[in-house]
Amino acid sequence: RDHWPACQSVFLAGGGVPAGVVVGASGRDGGYPAHTPVSPADLAATLYRLMGLDTNTDPRLRPFIGAGVPVAELV
């Protein structure tokens, strides 16, 4: 529906994700990130890192994450 596509929520649990961590926030209307935006590539890099894969040295991962970096608060 193209209703606020720039801001979405993701819930992660288990697999080494620290409990109770909240990363980022939306603006007042919930349409855009207010701070600490996380891209899909950043989320993928975070999940790979939590699985024990080094996103800096494993060339198989770069096509999937591009310039994405793991979210520091979650790894």
Side-chain angles (χ1 to χ4, degrees):
R1 295 184 13 197
D2 286 338
H3 185 72
W4 303 119
C7 194
Q8 299 179 17
S9 299
V10 174
F11 179 83
L12 301 174
V17 175
V21 175
V22 176
V23 179
S26 65
R28 233 179 100 149
D29 61 6
Y32 297 95
H35 66 82
T36 320
V38 176
S39 72
D42 294 338
L43 178 60
T46 302
L47 296 176
Y48 283 130
R49 181 67 58 87
L50 289 170
M51 289 190 293
L53 300 171
D54 188 350
T55 56
N56 294 320
T57 60
D58 194 332
R60 300 171 297 172
L61 302 178
R62 280 294 143 198
F64 300 105
I65 63 171
V69 295
V71 178
E73 296 89 345
L74 298 177
V75 292

